[in-house]
Amino acid sequence: MGDKSRKQAAAGERAADVQGRFHMDGLSVYRPGLTVPIADVIKDAEQCGYPFKENEAHYRKMGFETVSVERRLSLEEMAERALEPIAERCMQEGIELGEIWFAHTSKVAWHESNLFKTMLRRWRWEQVPLYPVEEHSCSTFHWVLRMAGHQFACDPYKAVLFVTADLGIHPFYYIDDFMICGDSASACLFRREHGDHRTLVVKYKAAGTVYDDDPSRLRQFHAMYYLGIRKIMLETLGEAGFTLSDIRLVVCGNINRQAWETVAGALRVPPEMFYYATMRETGHITNSDIPSNLQHALSGGALRPGDYYLTVTVSMAGTFGCALHQYVPAKRKEGKS
């Protein structure tokens, strides 16, 4: 047995000891067909009075080129596009839901408070507990992973559904000093015992000092947050007895290229290990970054069966999320997604 095979076998034994908490058993992303050059995004925000500190070259250096923009569908319609394939499979296979989480950063008017009403009725989920999370953070994906563990502890036979939708309602939504954001929607289905992606360890942390709005503390966080990312990654791996050499990829949020290159340098690993392939085209699509990049990695062959990988998110509001997963594609019956 070669060194690589021995390392993989050892990693497998450590993973078995951790006994994966649950699995991701479905993944769907809706991205608008329209992509807008960042020059147009900057121009629109400029005309509305956004106080720019940087120019287009600055955002290009960070890795942004175009942005996904939805100009036809409503927030609800976007969410339904992403949800539909997973919901249909739940109906076909008799998968029962224990709870639904819905995350979005878009401001929703009072009359849209029952955003899910039509979908709940369509899929006969009126009695399933629904938890909307508005403006939580760009690490909401990992926060929901943490929350899912509680549901499985109460009822391991019911699935958890995580749905996201983000739709800009003003030119300011698409840009700030740190990144350029786009529109998107996604849906992920989590189950205790079944799924293509086994989740072994989940970490979620908040840097509480950011929330007091002290300018000096905010500047300090923005200058040093990459160390927080490094720390949570190493803690996640350490809990499973893993090292970075056991990991194929780090699937991360589309915050900006410089951030992940800095983290790679701090960890002394190649920048190519950090996977954010959709950022150049879509921008930072908030709650859908991880599902979108993971879907891209699978379709492009960047992840192979048996590979271990990390997912990592960070919010400029001071939250960090990280999880260790293994890609274990299940064999499905013909006609099932």
Side-chain angles (χ1 to χ4, degrees), residues 12-27:
E13 290 173 3
R14 293 195 296 271
D17 291 339
V18 175
Q19 295 180 345
R21 297 184 179 187
F22 52 86
H23 297 70
M24 182 162 65
D25 193 36
L27 170 66

Side-chain angles (χ1 to χ4, degrees), residues 44-336:
D44 289 344
E46 211 166 27
Q47 289 176 344
C48 291
Y50 187 86
F52 278 97
K53 296 178 182 178
E54 307 290 350
N55 57 19
E56 181 183 345
H58 167 77
Y59 293 103
R60 289 192 177 278
K61 186 177 180 181
M62 291 196 296
F64 300 106
E65 292 189 9
T66 61
V67 184
S68 292
V69 177
E70 180 58 60
R71 290 182 176 162
R72 294 187 307 107
L73 303 182
S74 66
L75 192 72
E76 181 179 14
E77 289 170 331
M78 289 171 60
E80 191 160 10
R81 290 285 183 92
L83 175 59
E84 194 167 38
I86 289 180
E88 288 181 347
R89 197 179 132 228
C90 286
M91 296 295 288
Q92 291 171 1
E93 299 183 15
I95 299 172
E96 188 176 358
L97 299 184
E99 59 188 27
I100 302 171
W101 290 87
F102 174 56
H104 66 99
T105 55
S106 309
K107 298 294 184 183
V108 178
W110 67 270
H111 61 277
E112 293 178 298
S113 59
N114 291 322
L115 187 67
F116 255 72
K117 190 173 182 180
T118 303
M119 284 180 275
L120 293 176
R121 185 180 298 123
R122 176 183 176 186
W123 303 110
R124 302 172 191 171
W125 290 334
E126 295 98 326
Q127 304 306 315
V128 179
L130 170 65
Y131 304 104
V133 185
E134 296 183 20
E135 198 68 25
H136 192 264
S137 80
C138 299
S139 293
T140 300
F141 178 85
H142 288 96
W143 185 74
V144 171
L145 288 183
R146 290 284 290 179
M147 298 303 291
H150 297 295
Q151 164 61 26
F152 294 126
C154 296
D155 191 339
Y157 301 105
K158 291 184 179 179
V160 173
L161 178 63
F162 178 40
V163 184
T164 81
D166 294 292
L167 176 63
I169 59 175
H170 190 281
F172 285 7
Y173 167 85
Y174 294 99
I175 195 164
D176 62 27
D177 294 339
F178 304 102
M179 64 193 76
I180 293 183
C181 300
D183 299 326
S184 67
S186 62
C188 298
L189 183 71
F190 301 104
R191 301 175 72 188
R192 180 66 179 87
E193 299 293 344
H194 305 281
D196 294 343
H197 302 266
R198 184 165 59 127
T199 298
L200 301 168
V201 179
V202 181
K203 296 283 187 181
Y204 180 84
K205 291 186 176 183
T209 55
V210 176
Y211 296 104
D212 60 13
D213 287 331
D214 181 279
S216 63
R217 291 182 187 274
L218 288 168
R219 285 195 297 270
Q220 182 181 14
F221 175 79
H222 291 157
M224 304 297 289
Y225 69 88
Y226 69 93
L227 294 178
I229 301 173
R230 177 183 182 273
K231 182 179 180 181
I232 199 171
M233 288 175 62
L234 293 178
E235 287 178 349
T236 301
L237 291 169
E239 185 169 318
F242 278 43
T243 67
L244 283 165
S245 63
D246 298 314
I247 303 303
R248 171 71 64 179
L249 285 180
V250 180
V251 180
C252 44
N254 295 343
I255 51 173
N256 66 67
R257 181 172 59 206
Q258 290 171 317
W260 298 121
E261 289 179 350
T262 302
V263 176
L267 289 167
R268 298 182 181 179
V269 297
E272 295 77 20
M273 191 173 185
F274 287 77
Y275 197 91
Y276 45 93
T278 65
M279 185 179 72
R280 175 186 292 184
E281 181 180 359
T282 67
H284 173 45
I285 47 178
T286 319
N287 297 300
S288 296
D289 276 349
I290 297 298
S292 182
N293 282 322
L294 182 54
Q295 193 176 64
H296 192 281
L298 294 172
S299 64
L303 277 177
R304 299 192 292 266
D307 284 346
Y308 293 95
Y309 66 94
L310 291 176
T311 53
V312 183
T313 52
V314 60
S315 165
M316 294 299 102
T319 59
F320 303 92
C322 185
L324 172 64
H325 315 265
Q326 185 184 22
Y327 179 40
V328 285
K331 292 181 179 180
R332 303 191 187 281
K333 294 180 181 179
E334 193 172 341
K336 299 281 182 76

